[in-house]
Amino acid sequence: MMSLIQRNAAYMAFVLLGVIWGSNFIFMKWAADWISPSQVALLRVLFGFIPILLVGLFTRSLSWSHLRHAHHFMVMALLATALYYFAFAKGTALLLSSLAGMLSGAIPLFTFLAALAFLRSEPVNRRSIGGTLLGFVGVLLIARPWQGAVADIDPVGVLYMVLGSLSVGLSFVYARKFVSPLRLPALALATYQTGFALLLLLLVSDLQGTQRLFAHPGAALAMVVGLGLLGTGIAYILYYFIVDRLGAIVASGVTYIPPVVALLIGVFLIGEPVTPIDMVAMVTILAGVGLLQSGRKA
């Protein structure tokens, strides 16, 4: 049985992970001022892969025999890292960091829809349907497509955030169906996923101009420490620590924290304007996710 100290450590990691993920949006915003979104994704994976690899080697979690499953690692690298990071970097570059963070709260909605479509294991009831609809109403309140060109919200940025959320949702379904049955160490899966993602991004990213980032110490620090070391490397380690201690269902609840953290950082630290309708939208998204989660347990 888990001791009180271990349980408290797991919940501290839970809160810390939520804060780290919530701060990623302002770090992406700062980095995107100097380099392209694909370069943001590439450097984030690079500086996140290094600590994961070192911990994996130190704990002897890695094995050459695991590479017979390389095709699964490649799919996870595409869906859960490369495409996801690029889409969120692009969306955040086009939106206020606080709004991008709010939209990230819709990830569980896309996970539910992907599982419903491909696994057919999700319960369909009034709560799950109502929660999904409520969550997407929140997304629409942020996007406000009915205002057209008058709106201050870039619809392309919203679409990129939706694409990133959909990509992550599909990755959860793929992992549940093909990766979890492999019973490989979680740290090994994170290492292979980020390693293959690094290769994918190297193939499609233009490296020219990345040196501009390092001419600006604040933006470089945000990239290397904020997005890479903390937002990717440490975040993966914390996530799998929480899953191991508290279980996957409890760990999934961490998605409630980043939208709130992103909003607080955007409004109170850098002075981004947020309207009352944006606040209503965030509450609507989180309420929809909460209703959806309760429908799963019903």
Side-chain angles (χ1 to χ4, degrees), residues 18-178:
V19 172
I20 289 174
W21 276 348
S23 64
N24 281 346
F25 296 95
I26 189 58
F27 295 146
M28 283 189 281
K29 192 74 173 176
W30 288 342
D33 285 340
W34 306 106
I35 57 177
S36 70
S38 63
Q39 291 170 340
V40 171
L42 172 63
L43 293 180
R44 176 179 180 178
V45 173
L46 172 63
F47 293 114
F49 172 65
I50 293 171
I52 297 175
L53 176 62
L54 292 176
V55 174
L57 292 173
F58 179 77
T59 59
R60 297 183 178 180
S61 301
L62 311 180
S63 171
W64 287 109
S65 64
H66 294 163
L67 293 182
R68 67 180 182 272
H69 307 299
H71 55 295
H72 291 312
F73 304 150
M74 184 63 75
V75 174
M76 288 298 295
L78 175 64
L79 293 177
T81 305
L83 180 57
Y84 161 45
Y85 282 2
F86 167 75
F88 268 29
K90 183 71 173 180
T92 304
L94 296 172
L95 299 169
L96 297 175
S97 66
S98 53
L99 293 183
M102 290 183 207
L103 288 168
S104 74
I107 288 176
L109 305 176
F110 289 98
T111 302
F112 169 75
L113 291 177
L116 187 63
F118 296 106
L119 295 180
R120 303 187 183 280
S121 60
E122 292 290 335
V124 179
N125 50 46
R126 291 182 179 179
R127 290 186 181 182
S128 62
I129 295 174
T132 302
L133 293 176
L134 188 61
F136 283 113
V137 166
V139 173
L140 287 174
L141 286 175
I142 290 179
R144 298 195 277 279
W146 55 85
Q147 293 185 1
V150 179
D152 295 328
I153 308 299
D154 190 327
V156 176
V158 174
L159 288 176
Y160 270 109
M161 296 302 300
V162 168
L163 174 62
S165 298
L166 175 61
S167 182
V168 177
L170 290 171
S171 77
F172 288 146
V173 172
Y174 190 90
R176 190 186 305 177
K177 189 169 184 177
F178 297 108

Side-chain angles (χ1 to χ4, degrees), residues 2-14 241 246:
M2 193 187 328
S3 70
L4 180 61
I5 294 177
Q6 290 176 320
R7 182 172 292 274
N8 287 340
Y11 279 109
M12 288 176 62
F14 182 94
F241 173 77
L246 301 177

Side-chain angles (χ1 to χ4, degrees), residues 260-276:
V260 179
V261 172
L263 174 66
L264 293 175
I265 290 175
V267 173
F268 294 106
L269 294 186
I270 61 174
E272 289 184 346
V274 177
T275 66

